[in-house]
Each structure stands twice: as C-alpha cells, then as structure tokens.
C-alpha cells in the first residue's frame, strides 16, 4: 500500500527544505506531487519541477473540470493538487510526498478518503514555528517577500497554528537538521 505523506505548516517554516531533503534521500521510494499555482515564480524556481505555474483563467478551467483534489486561495494566489497526479502515483505503488498549505491539507485528506481509487495510507505532519518572531526572521531571510507580504503571512500563520491538532504529527520547528530527522523518522515508521 502506498503512503501519502502530507507536510504542512505556515509559510517560511521550512516545508520545502525538508521535502527536498526527503526526496534526495529517498528518491527510489518517494515521489513528489507538483502543485499548480497562479503565483509568479520565485528566483530559481522552475516550471514543472517546483510548481506548475499557470494563469488564473487556466487554473479556473482546471477547477471546473474537477482536476484538483483540493484548491485554495493563499495570499491572493491560487494553489491546487492534481487529482490525476496523485492517482497515477498510487496506481504505480509509489509513496507520495505532498507539500501543502494548512487549509489545503484538510481538504486533501477529506477528498482522498472519498476517492475509491486511492488505496493509500495518509500521514500528515504539521511543522509549527517555535514562535512567530523566528518565523518572521526566516521570511525576511528568504528575501522574496515585501514587508507587507511578511506581515500578511504572519497573520495567516497565527490562524494556521490553531489547526495543528488536525494533523497526525506536530513538530515544533527548531533547527533544520533536527526537524528533518524527526520528519524522516515519521516517514520511515510508516513505510
């Protein structure tokens, strides 16, 4: 049976870094579902590898065709998880890694549970910032967001932290190597 590993948490908490390390270490066992978004690429991001970047009208068309297991508007941009991509990976008996926002994670779990095609175990991990000041510093260091955008992301983070109990596991983010070790242990215990 395939494993669907869902990693979520506020922007800037380190989800992408952890996901990339998991994919590097377990490339023969674990595959990533690339999210579709209407946001513009950040420096160094590549279409089809980091995200599928698309225009708003195309995204809305995909929603109407029921192409997403879940889709959300986060910080004014649309994000969605491809139903077909997840289904195909499970049919190939692959373990699936999904890096997703907090609202999308709840919808995703509900939709996967309803899908008859999905014969997979779902394990969700919430990466919780040690505190909002640390999260603010990480967002600043990332260097891709304006002060207004950082303030908006911190406001969203306050609400997202309240939903941590909806996940199978919560890791209070501390240091990158430690965080990764804890996520890796959860992955290995479920495969």
């Amino acid at each position: 049976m395939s494993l669907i590993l869902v990693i979520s948490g506020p922007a800037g908490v380190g989800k992408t870094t952890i996901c990339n390390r998991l994919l590097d270490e377990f490339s023969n066992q674990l595959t990533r579902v690339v999210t579709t978004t209407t946001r513009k690429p950040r420096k160094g991001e590549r279409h089809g590898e980091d995200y599928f970047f698309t225009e708003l009208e195309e995204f809305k068309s995909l929603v109407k065709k029921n192409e997403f297991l879940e889709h959300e508007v986060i910080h004014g941009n649309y994000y969605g998880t491809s139903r077909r991509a997840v289904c195909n990976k499970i049919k190939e008996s692959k373990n699936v890694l999904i890096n997703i926002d907090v609202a999308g994670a709840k919808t995703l779990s509900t939709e996967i549970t309803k899908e008859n095609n999905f014969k997979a175990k779902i394990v969700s991990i919430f990466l919780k910032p040690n505190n909002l000041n640390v999260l603010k510093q990480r967002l600043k260091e990332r260097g891709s967001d304006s002060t207004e955008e950082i303030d908006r992301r911190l406001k969203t983070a306050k609400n997202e932290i309240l939903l941590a109990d909806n996940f199978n596991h919560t890791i209070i983010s501390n240091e990158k190597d430690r965080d990764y070790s804890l996520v890796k242990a959860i992955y290995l215990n479920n495969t």
Side-chain angles (χ1 to χ4, degrees), residues 78-99:
Y78 290 70
Y79 293 82
T81 303
S82 168
R83 180 181 308 277
R84 184 178 304 136
V86 174
C87 188
N88 287 344
K89 289 176 188 300
I90 290 171
K91 284 179 185 173
E92 295 168 4
S93 298
K94 293 184 176 178
N95 292 327
V96 180
L97 176 63
I98 302 176
N99 174 351

mmCIF file of all heavy atoms in Angstrom, residues 78-99:
data_model
loop_
_atom_site.group_PDB
_atom_site.id
_atom_site.type_symbol
_atom_site.label_atom_id
_atom_site.label_comp_id
_atom_site.label_asym_id
_atom_site.label_seq_id
_atom_site.Cartn_x
_atom_site.Cartn_y
_atom_site.Cartn_z
ATOM 1 N N TYR A 78 -3.722 31.298 -6.280
ATOM 2 C CA TYR A 78 -4.411 30.013 -6.281
ATOM 3 C C TYR A 78 -3.387 28.881 -6.305
ATOM 4 O O TYR A 78 -2.379 28.960 -6.996
ATOM 5 C CB TYR A 78 -5.307 29.898 -7.515
ATOM 6 C CG TYR A 78 -6.507 30.808 -7.492
ATOM 7 C CD1 TYR A 78 -6.373 32.191 -7.621
ATOM 8 C CD2 TYR A 78 -7.788 30.290 -7.353
ATOM 9 C CE1 TYR A 78 -7.475 33.028 -7.602
ATOM 10 C CE2 TYR A 78 -8.904 31.123 -7.339
ATOM 11 C CZ TYR A 78 -8.737 32.495 -7.461
ATOM 12 O OH TYR A 78 -9.828 33.313 -7.437
ATOM 13 N N TYR A 79 -3.700 27.811 -5.535
ATOM 14 C CA TYR A 79 -2.858 26.623 -5.480
ATOM 15 C C TYR A 79 -3.774 25.404 -5.581
ATOM 16 O O TYR A 79 -4.867 25.399 -5.010
ATOM 17 C CB TYR A 79 -2.105 26.538 -4.148
ATOM 18 C CG TYR A 79 -1.074 27.610 -3.939
ATOM 19 C CD1 TYR A 79 -1.432 28.875 -3.474
ATOM 20 C CD2 TYR A 79 0.268 27.370 -4.203
ATOM 21 C CE1 TYR A 79 -0.490 29.868 -3.280
ATOM 22 C CE2 TYR A 79 1.225 28.355 -4.001
ATOM 23 C CZ TYR A 79 0.829 29.600 -3.545
ATOM 24 O OH TYR A 79 1.775 30.568 -3.348
ATOM 25 N N GLY A 80 -3.322 24.362 -6.266
ATOM 26 C CA GLY A 80 -4.127 23.151 -6.375
ATOM 27 C C GLY A 80 -3.273 21.905 -6.501
ATOM 28 O O GLY A 80 -2.173 21.942 -7.050
ATOM 29 N N THR A 81 -3.808 20.781 -5.999
ATOM 30 C CA THR A 81 -3.145 19.475 -6.064
ATOM 31 C C THR A 81 -3.868 18.621 -7.097
ATOM 32 O O THR A 81 -5.070 18.356 -6.959
ATOM 33 C CB THR A 81 -3.182 18.768 -4.692
ATOM 34 O OG1 THR A 81 -2.564 19.618 -3.721
ATOM 35 C CG2 THR A 81 -2.468 17.440 -4.736
ATOM 36 N N SER A 82 -3.142 18.188 -8.099
ATOM 37 C CA SER A 82 -3.696 17.424 -9.210
ATOM 38 C C SER A 82 -4.234 16.066 -8.774
ATOM 39 O O SER A 82 -3.508 15.246 -8.219
ATOM 40 C CB SER A 82 -2.627 17.220 -10.280
ATOM 41 O OG SER A 82 -3.042 16.260 -11.225
ATOM 42 N N ARG A 83 -5.500 15.828 -9.050
ATOM 43 C CA ARG A 83 -6.134 14.537 -8.774
ATOM 44 C C ARG A 83 -5.440 13.437 -9.576
ATOM 45 O O ARG A 83 -5.096 12.380 -9.051
ATOM 46 C CB ARG A 83 -7.613 14.628 -9.155
ATOM 47 C CG ARG A 83 -8.411 13.366 -8.926
ATOM 48 C CD ARG A 83 -9.869 13.562 -9.352
ATOM 49 N NE ARG A 83 -10.473 14.726 -8.751
ATOM 50 C CZ ARG A 83 -11.012 14.766 -7.524
ATOM 51 N NH1 ARG A 83 -11.011 13.685 -6.784
ATOM 52 N NH2 ARG A 83 -11.539 15.877 -7.044
ATOM 53 N N ARG A 84 -5.209 13.686 -10.847
ATOM 54 C CA ARG A 84 -4.608 12.697 -11.740
ATOM 55 C C ARG A 84 -3.196 12.325 -11.286
ATOM 56 O O ARG A 84 -2.826 11.159 -11.280
ATOM 57 C CB ARG A 84 -4.588 13.212 -13.180
ATOM 58 C CG ARG A 84 -4.055 12.186 -14.167
ATOM 59 C CD ARG A 84 -4.087 12.689 -15.598
ATOM 60 N NE ARG A 84 -5.437 13.097 -15.953
ATOM 61 C CZ ARG A 84 -5.739 14.219 -16.619
ATOM 62 N NH1 ARG A 84 -4.797 15.024 -17.024
ATOM 63 N NH2 ARG A 84 -6.981 14.522 -16.902
ATOM 64 N N ALA A 85 -2.406 13.328 -10.904
ATOM 65 C CA ALA A 85 -1.027 13.062 -10.493
ATOM 66 C C ALA A 85 -0.976 12.151 -9.266
ATOM 67 O O ALA A 85 -0.209 11.183 -9.234
ATOM 68 C CB ALA A 85 -0.291 14.368 -10.212
ATOM 69 N N VAL A 86 -1.800 12.440 -8.269
ATOM 70 C CA VAL A 86 -1.824 11.613 -7.061
ATOM 71 C C VAL A 86 -2.299 10.205 -7.400
ATOM 72 O O VAL A 86 -1.685 9.211 -7.006
ATOM 73 C CB VAL A 86 -2.699 12.259 -5.957
ATOM 74 C CG1 VAL A 86 -2.842 11.327 -4.759
ATOM 75 C CG2 VAL A 86 -2.116 13.601 -5.518
ATOM 76 N N CYS A 87 -3.372 10.110 -8.158
ATOM 77 C CA CYS A 87 -3.947 8.812 -8.525
ATOM 78 C C CYS A 87 -2.937 7.965 -9.302
ATOM 79 O O CYS A 87 -2.759 6.778 -9.017
ATOM 80 C CB CYS A 87 -5.210 9.030 -9.341
ATOM 81 S SG CYS A 87 -6.132 7.512 -9.651
ATOM 82 N N ASN A 88 -2.264 8.558 -10.276
ATOM 83 C CA ASN A 88 -1.290 7.813 -11.084
ATOM 84 C C ASN A 88 -0.134 7.288 -10.235
ATOM 85 O O ASN A 88 0.325 6.162 -10.423
ATOM 86 C CB ASN A 88 -0.754 8.676 -12.215
ATOM 87 C CG ASN A 88 -1.779 8.893 -13.305
ATOM 88 O OD1 ASN A 88 -2.790 8.192 -13.386
ATOM 89 N ND2 ASN A 88 -1.547 9.887 -14.148
ATOM 90 N N LYS A 89 0.346 8.091 -9.308
ATOM 91 C CA LYS A 89 1.468 7.662 -8.465
ATOM 92 C C LYS A 89 1.045 6.509 -7.554
ATOM 93 O O LYS A 89 1.820 5.577 -7.329
ATOM 94 C CB LYS A 89 2.013 8.841 -7.670
ATOM 95 C CG LYS A 89 2.749 9.842 -8.570
ATOM 96 C CD LYS A 89 3.207 11.057 -7.834
ATOM 97 C CE LYS A 89 3.759 12.122 -8.732
ATOM 98 N NZ LYS A 89 4.895 11.786 -9.540
ATOM 99 N N ILE A 90 -0.172 6.553 -7.049
ATOM 100 C CA ILE A 90 -0.655 5.469 -6.196
ATOM 101 C C ILE A 90 -0.851 4.198 -7.024
ATOM 102 O O ILE A 90 -0.514 3.096 -6.573
ATOM 103 C CB ILE A 90 -1.946 5.893 -5.468
ATOM 104 C CG1 ILE A 90 -1.595 6.963 -4.429
ATOM 105 C CG2 ILE A 90 -2.620 4.703 -4.806
ATOM 106 C CD1 ILE A 90 -2.775 7.632 -3.796
ATOM 107 N N LYS A 91 -1.378 4.328 -8.231
ATOM 108 C CA LYS A 91 -1.533 3.159 -9.106
ATOM 109 C C LYS A 91 -0.187 2.502 -9.398
ATOM 110 O O LYS A 91 -0.111 1.293 -9.592
ATOM 111 C CB LYS A 91 -2.201 3.563 -10.427
ATOM 112 C CG LYS A 91 -3.676 3.800 -10.308
ATOM 113 C CD LYS A 91 -4.263 4.213 -11.646
ATOM 114 C CE LYS A 91 -5.731 4.565 -11.513
ATOM 115 N NZ LYS A 91 -6.278 5.125 -12.751
ATOM 116 N N GLU A 92 0.876 3.304 -9.411
ATOM 117 C CA GLU A 92 2.230 2.781 -9.633
ATOM 118 C C GLU A 92 2.858 2.282 -8.331
ATOM 119 O O GLU A 92 4.037 1.941 -8.305
ATOM 120 C CB GLU A 92 3.110 3.885 -10.232
ATOM 121 C CG GLU A 92 2.674 4.335 -11.609
ATOM 122 C CD GLU A 92 3.367 5.613 -12.066
ATOM 123 O OE1 GLU A 92 4.264 6.119 -11.345
ATOM 124 O OE2 GLU A 92 3.010 6.114 -13.138
ATOM 125 N N SER A 93 2.071 2.242 -7.250
ATOM 126 C CA SER A 93 2.516 1.798 -5.920
ATOM 127 C C SER A 93 3.681 2.624 -5.386
ATOM 128 O O SER A 93 4.567 2.117 -4.696
ATOM 129 C CB SER A 93 2.900 0.313 -5.942
ATOM 130 O OG SER A 93 1.790 -0.463 -6.289
ATOM 131 N N LYS A 94 3.666 3.914 -5.680
ATOM 132 C CA LYS A 94 4.710 4.805 -5.182
ATOM 133 C C LYS A 94 4.238 5.510 -3.918
ATOM 134 O O LYS A 94 3.041 5.755 -3.737
ATOM 135 C CB LYS A 94 5.064 5.845 -6.240
ATOM 136 C CG LYS A 94 5.736 5.253 -7.454
ATOM 137 C CD LYS A 94 6.161 6.322 -8.419
ATOM 138 C CE LYS A 94 6.908 5.700 -9.581
ATOM 139 N NZ LYS A 94 7.305 6.698 -10.567
ATOM 140 N N ASN A 95 5.186 5.836 -3.050
ATOM 141 C CA ASN A 95 4.889 6.697 -1.911
ATOM 142 C C ASN A 95 4.901 8.129 -2.409
ATOM 143 O O ASN A 95 5.742 8.507 -3.224
ATOM 144 C CB ASN A 95 5.918 6.505 -0.803
ATOM 145 C CG ASN A 95 5.813 5.140 -0.164
ATOM 146 O OD1 ASN A 95 4.736 4.578 -0.052
ATOM 147 N ND2 ASN A 95 6.940 4.599 0.243
ATOM 148 N N VAL A 96 3.963 8.916 -1.926
ATOM 149 C CA VAL A 96 3.730 10.259 -2.449
ATOM 150 C C VAL A 96 3.993 11.299 -1.369
ATOM 151 O O VAL A 96 3.520 11.165 -0.238
ATOM 152 C CB VAL A 96 2.272 10.387 -2.947
ATOM 153 C CG1 VAL A 96 1.996 11.774 -3.488
ATOM 154 C CG2 VAL A 96 1.962 9.329 -4.000
ATOM 155 N N LEU A 97 4.730 12.331 -1.735
ATOM 156 C CA LEU A 97 5.005 13.455 -0.845
ATOM 157 C C LEU A 97 4.252 14.675 -1.353
ATOM 158 O O LEU A 97 4.375 15.039 -2.526
ATOM 159 C CB LEU A 97 6.512 13.744 -0.818
ATOM 160 C CG LEU A 97 6.953 14.958 0.001
ATOM 161 C CD1 LEU A 97 6.621 14.783 1.475
ATOM 162 C CD2 LEU A 97 8.442 15.196 -0.185
ATOM 163 N N ILE A 98 3.474 15.283 -0.462
ATOM 164 C CA ILE A 98 2.728 16.485 -0.826
ATOM 165 C C ILE A 98 3.059 17.590 0.171
ATOM 166 O O ILE A 98 2.802 17.466 1.364
ATOM 167 C CB ILE A 98 1.208 16.234 -0.872
ATOM 168 C CG1 ILE A 98 0.892 15.119 -1.881
ATOM 169 C CG2 ILE A 98 0.458 17.518 -1.214
ATOM 170 C CD1 ILE A 98 -0.570 14.716 -1.932
ATOM 171 N N ASN A 99 3.631 18.675 -0.338
ATOM 172 C CA ASN A 99 3.942 19.877 0.434
ATOM 173 C C ASN A 99 2.771 20.827 0.192
ATOM 174 O O ASN A 99 2.561 21.275 -0.932
ATOM 175 C CB ASN A 99 5.258 20.459 -0.089
ATOM 176 C CG ASN A 99 5.626 21.786 0.524
ATOM 177 O OD1 ASN A 99 4.857 22.411 1.243
ATOM 178 N ND2 ASN A 99 6.820 22.239 0.216
#
